[in-house]
RNA sequence: UGGGGGAUCGUCUAGCGGUAGGACGCAUGACUCUGGAUCAUGCUACGGGGGUUCGAAUCCUCCUCCCCCAGCCA
């Protein structure tokens, strides 16, 4: 009970697979697939599915295919295909040469449809879309049989042939499976297999004007690819009987469909439709906006594939609807970046500090550790001079209790530098705004140590004004103000929960000179502030950093608690 | 009032007839040249009622609540 068996299955799907392996159900094979529809960008919910499918294949010595479910040419585009491939690859998964498209199988799918017609199990229906809906019945009432349901095999064959040949306009006919109009499962009430769509397909062009529906195509694609475990989300549970019916009636190889609960993440939305709305209505700046839960957004934000994979592992796999706290995602990226990100000093809201007793013609290079978690990352030199910037937040004219940082008369340590004491505060005469601090330093404390061993609680980050690199920094907060954006007043929708302050742009930040050669996307820890990465909007003359996530901020908690206690 | 699923700490998840565990979160403390990291300690959980059993989160039964399905979307 206290020790987890490391070889035991991590979730119910692994348990099923292990049982199948034991009973030799699929000759010891494990074959999965990730089947996105190329009609939008991948998000963190897809990452869960990707990690699951590719991960399962990996742990059981199987393979996972990447298959585009491109059966609806009116919604799908090559652009999405490319972005999906990039995202899966970036996450660290490899499909080798097993890149497939449902459209690769259109001819086979068509032949199988002909077979079903010949078996008397599919028919061409000529009811309109509205009529089909009416005939389908409701949740509590059975459906009615279409008047076209008893067309002869010959007539069905000929009509279907004409459908394929383009002799009809959109919507005139459909091909339906003949199953059971009285079934309690609506999916079994003669589901549509093919519809007429005179549309250009991103891969097959105008070869086809009839396109297979999901239920018809998906199971057959799985069957053709000899998938063993076809993993999908809970809403397809009702489709499983149909999935099995098609394959059984056709007498072809039958994988098993297994459903799991999709990921919901607090403080964000996950449906493509809603994400699209955020983009279209300008609440964010595109699909890769760092506030978006898309893979491309997370990547731009500075999340690492390792962090995302770790997250997907930690959230587990089950059949229960749930909402994962976004704080777990944040913890995962901190955990990863803490180990790997080089540290630098950067001041977001600079406050000028003049060290009065420091010579104004001197610059010292002080040694700083690149990563205290990893000594192999070495050290670097940072310049120190008479005029510095510190963080405005690190100074209080009238400090509260437990304040370790700078205040009039207080002494603090400048990280890797000297101890300084604030001796004067210079203000703008008109506005009263603090524009400069006058300090003195103790030359004996070079490097941050005092020979007399006196205690200094506060350590501040800083940059030398003369040497600083100016940069823009974008701070991000949650996109929605509520953990569950769907929780709204009557008559409102999730848009009413958009956080108006999810983006704060700081245009004159000062960073230590060593970040001048920062590489795109690589993460840094700005000491005491958080993790940041260079944004692709950067140009040669202007650096732009995104804040990936803050560091844990104990002081903020203390301050918050003190306010609450009052 | 059809069909299909699901209910375990605040959150996610383990458990598969034998003392309900882990992670995140939160709280407190230790340590620290990042109020970071780390470490330690703690935190009102088995939806409810019956039953079987020496023993039930687990098996049976009744109930309650939640989710999904009426696209020629996936």
């Amino acid at each position: 009970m206290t020790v987890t068996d490391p070889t035991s299955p991590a979730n119910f799907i692994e348990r099923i697979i292990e049982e199948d392996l034991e009973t030799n159900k699929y000759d010891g094979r494990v074959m999965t697939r990730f089947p996105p529809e190329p009609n939008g960008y991948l998000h963190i919910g897809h990452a869960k599915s990707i990690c699951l499918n590719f991960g399962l294949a990996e742990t059981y010595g199987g393979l996972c295919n990447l298959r585009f479910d491109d059966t609806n040419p009116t919604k799908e585009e090559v652009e999405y295909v490319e972005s999906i491939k990039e995202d899966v690859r970036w996450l660290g998964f490899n499909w080798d040469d097993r890149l497939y498209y449902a459209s690769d199988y259109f001819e086979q799918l068509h032949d199988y449809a002909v077979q079903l017609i010949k078996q008397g199990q599919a028919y061409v229906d000529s009811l309109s879309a509205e009529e089909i809906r009416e005939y389908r019945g409701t949740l509590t009432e059975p459906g009615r049989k279409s008047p076209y349901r008893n067309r002869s095999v010959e007539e069905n064959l000929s009509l279907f042939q004409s459908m394929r040949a383009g002799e009809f306009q959109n919507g005139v006919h459909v091909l339906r499976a003949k199953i059971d109009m009285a079934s309690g499962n609506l999916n079994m009430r003669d589901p549509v297999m093919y519809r007429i769509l005179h549309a250009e397909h991103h891969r097959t062009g105008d070869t086809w004007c009839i396109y297979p529906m999901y239920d018809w195509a998906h199971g057959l694609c799985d069957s053709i690819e000899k998938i063993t475990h076809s993993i999908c989300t809970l809403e397809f549970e009702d489709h499983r009987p149909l999935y099995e019916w098609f394959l059984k009636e056709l007498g072809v190889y039958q994988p098993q469909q297994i459903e799991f609960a999709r990921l919901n993440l607090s403080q964000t939305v996950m449906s493509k439709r809603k994400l699209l709305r955020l983009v279209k209505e300008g609440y964010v700046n595109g699909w890769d906006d760092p506030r978006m839960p898309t893979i491309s957004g997370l990547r731009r934000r500075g999340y690492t594939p390792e962090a995302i994979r770790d997250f997907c592992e930690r959230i587990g796999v089950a059949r229960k609807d749930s909402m994962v706290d976004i704080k777990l995602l944040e913890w995962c990226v901190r955990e990863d970046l803490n180990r790997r990100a080089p540290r630098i000093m950067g001041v977001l809201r600079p406050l000028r500090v003049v060290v009065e007793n420091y010579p104004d013609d001197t610059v010292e290079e002080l040694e700083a550790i690149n990563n205290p978690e990893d000594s192999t990352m070495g050290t670097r030199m940072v310049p120190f001079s008479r005029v510095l910037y510190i963080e405005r937040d690190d100074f209080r004219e009238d400090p509260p209790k437990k304040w370790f940082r700078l205040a009039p008369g207080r002494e603090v340590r400048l990280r890797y530098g000297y101890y300084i004491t604030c001796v004067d505060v210079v203000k703008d005469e008109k506005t009263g705004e603090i524009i400069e601090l006058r300090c003195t330093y103790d030359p004996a404390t070079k490097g941050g140590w005092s020979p007399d061993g006196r205690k200094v609680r506060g350590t501040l980050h800083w940059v030398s004004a003369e040497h600083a690199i100016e940069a823009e920094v974008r701070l991000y907060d949650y996109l929605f103000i509520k953990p569950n954006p769907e929780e709204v007043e009557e008559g409102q929708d999730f848009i009413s929960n958009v956080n108006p302050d999810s983006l704060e742009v700081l245009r004159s930040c000062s960073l230590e000179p060593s970040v001048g050669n920062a590489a795109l996307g690589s993460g840094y820890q700005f000491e005491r502030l958080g993790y940041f990465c260079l944004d692709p909007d950067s140009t040669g003359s202007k650096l732009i950093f995104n804040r990936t996530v803050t560091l844990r901020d104990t002081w903020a908690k203390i301050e918050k608690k003190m306010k609450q206690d009052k």
Side-chain angles (χ1 to χ4, degrees):
Chain A
M1 193 60 84
T2 48
V3 180
T4 314
D5 180 357
T7 61
S8 73
N11 57 57
F12 77 97
I13 299 180
E14 293 196 356
R15 203 190 321 277
I16 291 171
I17 292 178
E18 289 182 16
E19 277 169 19
D20 292 344
L21 253 20
E22 245 166 64
T23 60
N24 217 31
K25 186 170 176 182
Y26 302 103
D27 310 320
R29 287 183 313 119
V30 172
M31 187 91 216
T32 57
R33 100 269 92 117
F34 173 61
E37 181 188 14
N39 70 341
Y41 287 78
L42 258 30
H43 53 62
I44 182 84
H46 293 111
K48 178 181 180 182
S49 174
I50 292 166
C51 292
L52 219 204
N53 279 295
F54 281 93
L56 250 17
E58 200 176 295
T59 46
Y60 295 104
L63 295 168
C64 179
N65 296 345
L66 175 60
R67 181 173 75 228
F68 287 96
D69 214 337
D70 55 350
T71 56
N72 186 348
T74 65
K75 294 190 174 177
E76 295 147 6
E77 292 170 27
V78 199
E79 177 201 340
Y80 295 130
V81 171
E82 293 312 313
S83 81
I84 289 168
K85 285 199 274 190
E86 184 191 352
D87 288 350
V88 175
R89 216 178 283 127
W90 178 77
L91 279 172
F93 297 103
N94 187 1
W95 55 87
D96 298 314
D97 57 347
R98 299 179 318 284
L99 171 64
Y100 302 121
Y101 295 82
S103 54
D104 292 342
Y105 312 126
F106 278 176
E107 195 64 49
Q108 278 179 84
L109 260 37
H110 169 269
D111 293 346
Y112 279 124
V114 169
Q115 180 188 334
L116 219 52
I117 293 171
K118 286 180 177 165
Q119 289 173 197
Q121 290 172 301
Y123 63 98
V124 173
D125 197 358
S126 308
L127 252 25
S128 70
E130 303 83 74
E131 287 168 328
I132 286 181
R133 193 184 322 123
E134 284 168 29
Y135 274 72
R136 184 156 33 227
T138 69
L139 294 179
T140 50
E141 296 157 20
R144 284 139 52 213
K145 291 173 182 169
S146 165
Y148 302 100
R149 200 176 197 255
N150 287 321
R151 288 214 249 234
S152 68
V153 168
E154 292 67 34
E155 189 182 5
N156 283 323
L157 249 17
S158 142
L159 243 19
F160 187 51
Q161 162 61 29
S162 301
M163 280 169 64
R164 176 181 182 171
E167 293 171 25
F168 306 112
Q169 295 197 319
N170 291 358
V172 173
H173 304 289
V174 291
L175 184 72
R176 299 178 74 175
K178 192 187 287 189
I179 308 181
D180 178 8
M181 289 307 290
S183 173
N185 181 348
L186 278 340
N187 296 116
M188 301 300 275
R189 321 243 262 229
D190 288 12
V192 173
M193 295 163 60
Y194 277 93
R195 74 287 214 188
I196 300 170
L197 242 33
H198 291 274
E200 174 98 3
H201 187 277
H202 68 103
R203 299 196 82 234
T204 59
D206 58 2
T207 306
W208 295 88
C209 63
I210 56 170
Y211 290 92
M213 298 288 290
Y214 166 85
D215 286 307
W216 172 244
H218 202 90
L220 274 170
C221 293
D222 285 345
S223 178
I224 290 165
E225 291 176 16
K226 292 285 185 288
I227 299 301
T228 55
H229 304 268
S230 175
I231 297 162
C232 63
T233 45
L234 250 28
E235 69 270 25
F236 291 102
E237 216 162 344
D238 293 349
H239 295 244
R240 197 189 331 138
L242 181 52
Y243 182 103
E244 290 168 354
W245 188 91
F246 279 136
L247 300 180
K248 179 170 169 280
E249 297 307 323
L250 256 13
V252 297
Y253 168 82
Q254 189 162 323
Q256 63 177 317
Q257 174 179 307
I258 301 168
E259 310 86 13
F260 72 100
R262 63 164 3 114
L263 170 65
N264 293 298
L265 237 203
S266 68
Q267 314 284 351
T268 191
V269 293
M270 212 70 90
S271 88
K272 283 183 191 169
R273 204 197 96 247
K274 286 175 185 143
L275 293 175
L276 180 66
R277 221 180 127 193
L278 292 171
V279 173
K280 283 255 166 81
E281 295 178 16
Y283 294 102
V284 295
N285 304 311
W287 286 96
D288 68 341
D289 186 298
R291 291 166 291 182
M292 292 281 273
T294 50
I295 304 297
S296 50
L298 291 166
R299 177 167 55 227
R300 189 166 174 185
R301 174 84 169 247
Y303 274 77
T304 59
E306 290 82 357
I308 293 173
R309 279 192 257 123
D310 183 37
F311 172 76
C312 290
E313 204 157 297
R314 284 169 186 278
I315 57 176
V317 179
R319 289 174 65 87
K320 178 178 65 168
D321 290 312
S322 62
M323 179 172 290
V324 175
D325 193 333
I326 195 166
K327 287 215 158 67
L328 177 60
L329 217 210
E330 296 175 345
W331 181 85
C332 288
V333 75
R334 281 194 196 103
E335 174 84 350
D336 185 39
L337 259 16
N338 177 50
R339 273 184 2 249
R340 311 192 311 179
R343 269 101 240 238
I344 65 113
M345 292 195 285
V347 176
L348 264 28
R349 299 175 180 84
L351 174 58
R352 192 178 147 92
V353 169
V354 177
V355 185
E356 292 184 328
N357 57 339
Y358 193 88
D360 67 0
D361 58 350
T362 302
V363 175
E364 285 181 276
E365 293 288 333
L366 303 171
E367 188 175 43
I369 294 165
N370 285 333
N371 189 339
E373 304 291 323
D374 180 1
S375 59
T376 66
M377 289 175 73
T379 60
R380 68 189 185 285
M381 303 308 280
V382 287
F384 185 93
S385 65
R386 189 168 189 265
V387 181
L388 312 168
Y389 291 127
I390 65 163
E391 205 70 61
R392 258 176 198 280
D393 288 351
D394 284 338
F395 177 78
R396 288 286 173 84
E397 198 171 13
D398 185 19
K401 276 182 199 163
K402 299 184 185 173
W403 180 261
F404 301 161
R405 282 119 92 148
L406 201 58
R410 296 268 187 105
E411 183 175 53
V412 297
R413 171 171 36 235
L414 295 179
R415 180 108 156 126
Y416 303 122
Y418 293 95
Y419 291 6
I420 59 167
T421 303
C422 177
V423 296
D424 200 9
V425 179
V426 182
K427 295 180 183 175
D428 184 297
E429 283 181 12
K430 285 174 190 157
T431 64
E433 184 200 0
I434 298 169
I435 51 177
E436 184 179 292
L437 261 28
R438 309 296 291 193
C439 296
T440 58
Y441 85 114
D442 177 354
T445 58
K446 183 174 179 179
W449 297 102
S450 105
D452 64 8
R454 67 181 186 270
K455 285 264 183 189
V456 174
R457 294 296 298 270
T459 299
L460 310 188
H461 59 278
W462 54 276
V463 295
S464 165
E466 180 192 341
H467 307 89
I469 293 179
E470 186 164 298
E472 175 178 316
V473 173
R474 299 171 180 173
L475 307 181
Y476 301 100
D477 197 352
Y478 299 136
L479 235 188
F480 293 91
I481 51 177
K482 286 190 182 170
N484 179 7
E486 306 295 347
E487 190 187 307
V488 290
E489 300 282 306
E490 188 71 27
Q492 304 266 22
D493 68 7
F494 73 105
I495 293 293
S496 65
N497 283 325
V498 167
N499 177 5
D501 304 314
S502 60
L503 170 62
E504 183 179 4
V505 180
L506 302 175
R507 291 177 205 286
S508 43
C509 307
S510 293
L511 310 182
E512 77 168 61
S514 73
V515 294
N517 49 14
L520 215 58
S522 74
Y524 290 86
Q525 185 194 102
F526 290 11
E527 291 216 26
R528 301 209 303 135
L529 297 174
Y531 296 96
F532 295 78
C533 75
L534 195 65
D535 187 89
D537 280 350
S538 301
T539 63
S541 57
K542 185 185 181 193
L543 294 181
I544 300 174
F545 281 87
N546 294 316
R547 184 173 69 194
T548 310
V549 68
T550 61
L551 253 24
R552 209 174 101 214
D553 191 346
T554 305
W555 167 247
K557 281 182 188 173
I558 293 170
E559 202 175 27
K560 193 178 164 192
K561 200 189 160 205
M562 287 197 301
K563 276 181 187 167
Q564 280 172 350
D565 289 349
K566 274 180 187 171

